[in-house]
Amino acid sequence: MKILNTKAFENLLESTIVAENDGGVALIERIASSVAYEIISRWLPKKPFILFAGPGYNGSIALATAQILIEQGYKVEILLFNINSLPITDICRIYRDKIKSIEGVDFTEITTKFDMPYISPDHVVIDGLFGTGLTSPLKGGFAMLIQYINESGAYIVAIDTPSGLLAEWNQSNARSNIIKANLTLALKSKRLSFFFSENEEYIGTCKVIDIDFNLNAYRKVQSNFTLLEEADVRRVLRKRQEYSSKKDYGSMLLVAGSYGMMGAAVLSAKGALRSGVGRLTVHSPRCGFYVLQSAVPEACCNYDLESSVVTEVAIDREYHAIAIGPGLGNDKRTELAIDSLFKRYKKPCIIDADAINAIANNHMLLSCIPPMSVITPHVGEFHSLFGEQPSDESRLCKAISMAKRYKIIIVLKGRHTMIVRPDEKVYINSSGSPALATPGSGDVLTGIIGSLAAQGYEMELCAAMGVFIHGMAGEYAEKRYGSYSVLASDIVDNIGPVIKDIMSRNENL
């Protein structure tokens, strides 16, 4: 699903209104009907409501929603802002007049200064001031109003976007001037800013309301940001042929493990095998030989000359994919082996964990990473590589810049893992849960991505598919064990069921 920015959203509104040739009435009423349904399904008519409407589309939706609520017996106090600097639009004027025609309605149209209305903790506030169309931080009277609403203790429902929160970038925004919604009813899709942890307190629970935009206009919308969903994986995940053999599913080399951290190598190897790789070879120190042969008998073992750490990465045959990093440790000899690999091997790799740390210890290696390689840093590893970042938003901005500069794919691991491509396109993962925050989870992800790369999928698809499958496997494990008790091995055990379910739904289409 496309994640709509301000310009794209406004273009879709305008295109739909033009296509329907009714001034926007049908569109506004469709949206208002959905918003009103969400409210009616949560509260009885005896609940007191106060609704704030702005001068544009968001205010029009709010007023149309108020009309429906009033018709259903709800008591709604309505305040519409129509001031010289922000006069109401034509569509907003239509719904203002409809509201004014209702007998006994509690309606105030604000054209100059006004006294703050009384808001109790028992109220439900409907925020219809500013939606996605807001392009700059709020200040002055609107900022004061928002602070007053936030301090009231009332339950706040935001239409489209909490007023004051910009749809994409908020680094320069005044945080005190953003509505802290308990429920946000996003129109058509979540906005980019909704996926940053620092904005969670403003969004609350988010419910996406589908909108019947003009289909041709929606297809033409360009967006650098896409919400990665199961249907996207289903479209590209290939069905296996009846007469295929393991040689058709690629050969992968996994460089992983050190003394005391062979579990990472085992988890990564199992992740790769459960994801369908045809042949897996694990290169590890000698101490890992019996561990791997016992725990992962399906994998071939290629042991290092050194007993406790990896000191070389010998490419002794043709591999379709190489993944490096899980459990390697921080020995200087291992860092030199990674340095040597990157300087002589020019095909894309999957780089994780201690291989990322090795690059962080020698930033010159960044320019040696083979183009279109996938790196999978968690927050701490990202900061070590590219410098400390104060927020999720700034980290994404930095990742977009670095992916483009070094021609690599960066998997920003987190609650909503983001796959950043060198062409500035970003996939935001929709699967996963807090249950994935468990030791070894990232090692499993490395194995999945490496396996898909060995099977011949393009690297950006490997990263996106791998992240989604990994997240969904975590969801499956959580259903059985709960969010506290999921182990990385539980994620491994659910890779197969996830792929099976995705493929079976594909066959039923």
Side-chain angles (χ1 to χ4, degrees):
M1 177 183 287
K2 299 169 186 175
I3 296 173
L4 304 175
N5 61 24
T6 299
K7 184 177 179 181
F9 186 75
E10 289 185 337
N11 287 344
L12 278 174
L13 283 173
E14 295 291 347
S15 298
T16 302
I17 290 169
V18 169
E20 295 180 352
N21 195 29
D22 65 351
V25 172
L27 175 62
I28 294 299
E29 292 187 356
R30 286 200 303 273
I31 299 172
S33 178
S34 296
V35 172
Y37 171 81
E38 295 297 334
I39 292 171
I40 291 170
S41 66
R42 288 171 170 81
W43 293 282
L44 296 173
K46 64 181 180 180
K47 190 74 173 174
F49 286 81
I50 183 166
L51 181 146
F52 295 91
Y57 286 119
N58 206 246
S60 304
I61 295 166
L63 294 175
T65 300
Q67 181 183 355
I68 296 171
L69 293 176
I70 292 168
E71 290 170 352
Q72 295 298 315
Y74 286 75
K75 182 181 178 181
V76 185
E77 180 183 354
I78 304 165
L79 292 93
L80 168 65
F81 289 85
N82 180 15
I83 57 179
N84 290 333
S85 58
L86 287 171
I88 62 173
T89 58
D90 290 341
I91 186 65
C92 192
R93 186 173 291 106
I94 291 172
Y95 287 97
R96 177 201 63 181
D97 294 342
K98 287 186 177 185
I99 289 292
K100 290 174 71 173
S101 69
I102 300 174
E103 185 177 350
V105 67
D106 188 350
F107 173 76
T108 303
E109 185 171 0
I110 299 160
T111 57
T112 57
K113 292 183 179 180
F114 79 109
D115 295 327
M116 295 289 185
Y118 173 68
I119 309 174
S120 75
D122 192 48
H123 272 92
V124 173
V125 172
I126 300 176
D127 166 30
L129 288 167
F130 303 99
T132 298
L134 191 69
T135 57
S136 60
L138 293 178
K139 54 186 178 181
F142 283 115
M144 293 176 61
L145 174 60
I146 282 174
Q147 292 171 21
Y148 177 72
I149 293 171
N150 285 339
E151 292 168 2
S152 70
Y155 191 99
I156 304 172
V157 179
I159 297 174
D160 187 30
T161 303
S163 291
L165 183 69
L166 305 181
E168 295 181 285
W169 313 113
N170 287 271
Q171 290 189 40
S172 60
N173 207 344
R175 297 282 167 169
S176 61
N177 300 340
I178 303 173
I179 281 285
K180 292 184 178 179
N182 301 94
L183 172 66
T184 298
L185 301 175
L187 306 184
K188 189 60 178 179
S189 70
K190 293 181 179 180
R191 306 296 175 254
L192 177 62
S193 59
F194 289 20
F195 296 98
F196 301 137
S197 62
E198 59 267 21
N199 296 331
E200 182 180 14
E201 63 177 310
Y202 306 107
I203 297 157
T205 300
C206 184
K207 175 73 179 290
V208 176
I209 295 175
D210 196 15
I211 300 172
D212 292 327
F213 279 129
N214 180 267
L215 187 57
N216 289 332
Y218 184 72
R219 287 171 175 167
K220 292 176 183 177
V221 166
Q222 299 295 315
S223 176
N224 279 355
F225 301 95
T226 301
L227 184 64
L228 181 64
E229 298 177 297
E230 182 178 331
D232 300 309
V233 178
R234 186 181 299 125
R235 278 193 294 271
V236 294
L237 195 58
R238 297 190 289 260
K239 183 180 179 180
R240 299 206 156 183
Q241 300 301 311
E242 291 289 338
Y243 293 94
S244 60
S245 67
K246 65 181 181 181
K247 69 180 177 61
D248 296 305
Y249 303 116
S251 176
M252 173 183 168
L253 174 65
L254 173 64
V255 183
S258 60
Y259 184 77
M261 291 194 289
M262 286 308 304
V266 169
L267 289 167
S268 193
K270 287 186 173 182
L273 289 162
R274 285 295 186 189
S275 303
V277 68
R279 175 188 173 98
L280 175 66
T281 300
V282 183
H283 180 86
S284 69
R286 285 176 176 267
C287 67
F289 180 79
Y290 292 109
V291 174
L292 288 165
Q293 289 285 271
S294 300
V296 198
E298 300 88 350
C300 300
C301 293
N302 179 346
Y303 55 83
D304 200 270
L305 294 175
E306 177 57 44
S307 63
S308 59
V309 295
V310 167
T311 61
E312 62 174 351
V313 182
I315 312 298
D316 57 349
R317 53 171 293 161
E318 179 69 25
Y319 294 103
H320 298 101
I322 294 178
I324 184 168
L328 283 177
N330 58 5
D331 191 280
K332 191 64 180 178
R333 291 168 293 176
T334 304
E335 291 183 13
L336 292 173
I338 294 169
D339 183 313
S340 174
L341 173 66
F342 289 162
K343 288 178 178 176
R344 58 192 166 84
Y345 188 80
K346 299 305 178 184
K347 295 181 180 180
C349 301
I350 296 88
I351 303 164
D352 182 38
D354 290 321
I356 294 175
N357 293 329
I359 298 169
N361 291 335
N362 178 11
H363 280 82
M364 296 293 290
L365 277 178
L366 273 169
S367 58
C368 299
I369 297 175
M372 294 307 293
S373 289
V374 177
I375 67 170
T376 61
H378 58 56
V379 173
E381 292 164 346
F382 185 88
H383 291 171
S384 297
L385 271 180
F386 302 118
E388 193 81 19
Q389 304 298 318
S391 64
D392 285 357
E393 179 182 315
S394 62
R395 187 159 51 252
L396 176 59
C397 291
K398 187 70 172 182
I400 292 171
S401 172
M402 294 298 98
K404 183 177 181 179
R405 177 177 176 180
Y406 294 108
K407 296 181 177 58
I408 56 177
I409 298 162
I410 301 177
V411 174
L412 284 178
K413 291 190 285 196
R415 173 59 189 92
H416 294 287
T417 295
M418 299 185 181
I419 301 95
V420 184
R421 299 179 359 180
D423 60 0
E424 302 184 36
K425 301 285 187 181
V426 179
Y427 298 115
I428 300 178
N429 188 38
S430 66
S431 69
S433 79
L436 289 166
T438 187
S441 175
D443 303 320
V444 177
L445 175 61
T446 298
I448 297 172
I449 297 175
S451 175
L452 294 170
Q455 292 171 62
Y457 294 97
E458 293 181 2
M459 294 303 285
E460 61 265 29
L461 290 180
C462 297
M465 293 165 64
V467 165
F468 184 87
I469 291 168
H470 178 261
M472 197 168 172
E475 291 178 18
Y476 278 32
E478 184 183 40
K479 288 178 182 178
R480 179 172 182 182
Y481 296 107
S483 60
Y484 275 75
S485 301
V486 169
L487 304 178
S489 54
D490 300 324
I491 302 171
V492 170
D493 291 342
N494 281 283
I495 293 171
V498 164
I499 295 175
K500 178 184 176 183
D501 285 352
I502 293 174
M503 293 301 293
S504 63
R505 284 192 276 270
N506 192 28
E507 291 172 356
N508 293 332
L509 290 178

